[in-house]
Amino acid sequence: MTLTKAQIVDSIQDKFGFPRKKCVELIEIMLEEIKKPLQKGEDVMISGFGKFCVNNKKERKGRNPATGDDLTLPARKVVTFKCSQGLREKINK
Amino acid sequence: MNKLQFIDALKKETGITKPEAAQIISIFFDEMSEALAKGDRVEIRGLCSFFVKEYKSYTGRNPKTGEKVTIAPKKLPFFKCGKELKERVDKK
């Protein structure tokens, strides 16, 4: 089974009894608040869960696997995740 | 940004109380942790997805001393960045 936004909205609704529309809105705002700092290049640290980090990747040479042509992959920023000790223990229990 | 700043930001943007903001955030991360603990996949559109990857036991080496060590089998969450987030973070 896959956990998606829908089930999280259900839980929020059960807990608070807000109308569904409001619960969806709250989740969307919350997600936006996670994305905003990452977009600015700032890490997001959630104790007990993990840390979302923005990493700068340097430019590197690559190859088009289909044609074999050399090409340069430009420098870019990527988001990585570092699992917290607590989450790691929970998963390995 | 840490959890406390996150709670404040959510409170400010939504007008809900601080305890409510804290609860919503903990529901979100608790549900994801529980799903992963069960071995389920998590998919949050626009943000990221996670699945649990199982690693077999292997013989590693202590990089400092060069000693051989046996690494026990383990499970780790594997993070995949969502399309929207990926594009926003790498915006030129």
Side-chain angles (χ1 to χ4, degrees):
Chain A
M1 239 217 5
T2 305
L3 175 73
T4 59
K5 263 186 234 174
Q7 285 113 290
I8 295 165
V9 171
D10 289 342
S11 303
I12 306 264
Q13 203 175 4
D14 286 349
K15 183 88 194 172
F16 294 97
F18 294 150
R20 185 158 187 96
K21 211 179 148 203
K22 180 166 179 180
C23 298
V24 172
E25 211 181 270
L26 287 171
I27 287 290
E28 291 301 335
I29 295 173
M30 183 193 66
L31 294 175
E32 184 54 34
E33 290 308 308
I34 300 177
K35 289 179 244 180
K36 263 199 267 176
L38 292 171
Q39 185 173 1
K40 282 190 278 174
E42 201 187 312
D43 294 349
V44 175
M45 207 164 82
I46 307 295
S47 55
F49 189 78
K51 190 173 165 192
F52 298 89
C53 310
V54 180
N55 268 346
N56 288 300
K57 293 266 189 191
K58 284 196 196 116
E59 176 189 283
R60 65 182 175 91
K61 285 210 171 72
R63 211 179 271 273
N64 179 332
T67 62
D69 291 342
D70 282 335
L71 52 96
T72 310
L73 298 166
R76 64 196 169 104
K77 282 186 193 157
V78 292
V79 181
T80 57
F81 175 74
K82 182 99 175 54
C83 172
S84 84
Q85 196 59 38
L87 178 61
R88 194 181 158 142
E89 277 162 19
K90 217 171 164 186
I91 291 174
N92 284 283
K93 221 169 12 191
Chain B
M1 183 177 83
N2 62 30
K3 216 194 236 171
L4 283 173
Q5 292 164 313
F6 185 22
I7 293 168
D8 281 334
L10 184 60
K11 171 182 179 274
K12 202 177 134 231
E13 292 297 318
T14 56
I16 57 176
T17 66
K18 198 167 172 174
E20 283 172 336
Q23 247 176 347
I24 288 177
I25 290 168
S26 71
I27 288 173
F28 180 62
F29 289 103
D30 287 351
E31 288 231 356
M32 290 204 291
S33 307
E34 271 161 39
L36 293 171
K38 277 193 284 175
D40 285 349
R41 233 175 72 86
V42 174
E43 187 178 323
I44 309 296
R45 280 286 155 94
L47 185 77
C48 64
S49 63
F50 290 101
F51 68 90
V52 178
K53 224 172 175 173
E54 288 192 44
Y55 295 85
K56 285 186 198 137
S57 160
Y58 62 94
T59 312
R61 232 173 242 277
N62 180 332
K64 240 182 221 159
T65 62
E67 268 172 81
K68 275 188 185 169
V69 276
T70 309
I71 313 285
K74 63 186 169 191
K75 292 180 201 165
L76 287 176
F78 188 84
F79 167 85
K80 192 162 181 277
C81 185
K83 191 163 180 269
E84 186 206 334
L85 180 61
K86 198 171 168 177
E87 287 169 357
R88 280 175 61 177
V89 167
D90 194 38
K91 208 159 43 184
K92 294 284 162 3

